[in-house]
Amino acid sequence: NYYTAVDGVLFKKTLDVLVKYPQEKTAKIYEIPSGVKRIFGNAFFECTNLESIIIPDSVELLGSYAFHGCSNLEEIVLSSSISDIKEGTFINCRKLTTVTIPENVASIASDAFKGCSDLKEILINQEKDGIPGAPWGANSATVKWKGEF
């Protein structure tokens, strides 16, 4: 057996990889357990009940499309250990309003925030134009660099 469930959330048996958060869970807030290092692609696919997700600093990798279609997600606290934001990570997270990108992030995929219609601000903890490609699909958002917020 390679997997285990904690409160209905599927993890690898070692508890360092979050595989799948069930769409039918009714919780509005989810705090990923400390010790998780990776979040699989599509792990939170269309988890429309979630409004807030807290990612601990132990998380180093977010899989592609990890939060795709979390249409009620308003807030996400990113791990300072993440180095890149892959394609479609937050695609169609329509209610997301502000995202703060940690200083360790070196790249953001061109469509990472596509369909995030309420996204107004992307706050980057880096020098101006430190990450190419802004606004990464969030055409209605203002990008603010270190020193501008």
Side-chain angles (χ1 to χ4, degrees), residues 73-93:
L73 187 64
E74 297 172 6
E75 177 186 28
I76 188 143
V77 178
L78 293 173
S79 161
S80 62
S81 302
I82 294 169
S83 61
D84 63 351
I85 297 176
K86 298 185 181 318
E87 63 274 0
T89 299
F90 298 103
I91 201 163
N92 293 330
C93 292

Side-chain angles (χ1 to χ4, degrees), residues 73-75 93-99 116 118-122 141:
L73 187 64
E74 297 172 6
E75 177 186 28
C93 292
R94 294 193 246 313
K95 290 193 177 177
L96 202 56
T97 57
T98 302
V99 175
C116 296
D118 288 354
L119 188 55
K120 301 298 178 228
E121 288 186 323
I122 301 173

Side-chain angles (χ1 to χ4, degrees), residues 79-147:
S79 161
S80 62
S81 302
I82 294 169
S83 61
D84 63 351
I85 297 176
K86 298 185 181 318
E87 63 274 0
T89 299
F90 298 103
I91 201 163
N92 293 330
C93 292
R94 294 193 246 313
K95 290 193 177 177
L96 202 56
T97 57
T98 302
V99 175
T100 301
I101 306 296
E103 62 185 323
N104 289 343
V105 172
S107 68
I108 300 174
S110 63
D111 68 348
F113 299 105
K114 185 177 180 182
C116 296
S117 52
D118 288 354
L119 188 55
K120 301 298 178 228
E121 288 186 323
I122 301 173
L123 308 175
I124 312 282
N125 281 312
Q126 291 188 18
E127 298 305 316
K128 189 164 177 67
D129 300 323
I131 305 172
W136 310 286
N139 297 330
S140 61
T142 300
V143 177
K144 293 184 179 177
W145 302 89
K146 193 175 195 173

Side-chain angles (χ1 to χ4, degrees), residues 50-68:
L50 284 172
E51 295 175 2
S52 179
I53 299 172
I54 300 161
I55 302 173
D57 286 342
S58 61
V59 173
E60 300 167 354
L61 179 75
L62 296 178
S64 300
Y65 302 93
F67 305 100
H68 179 186

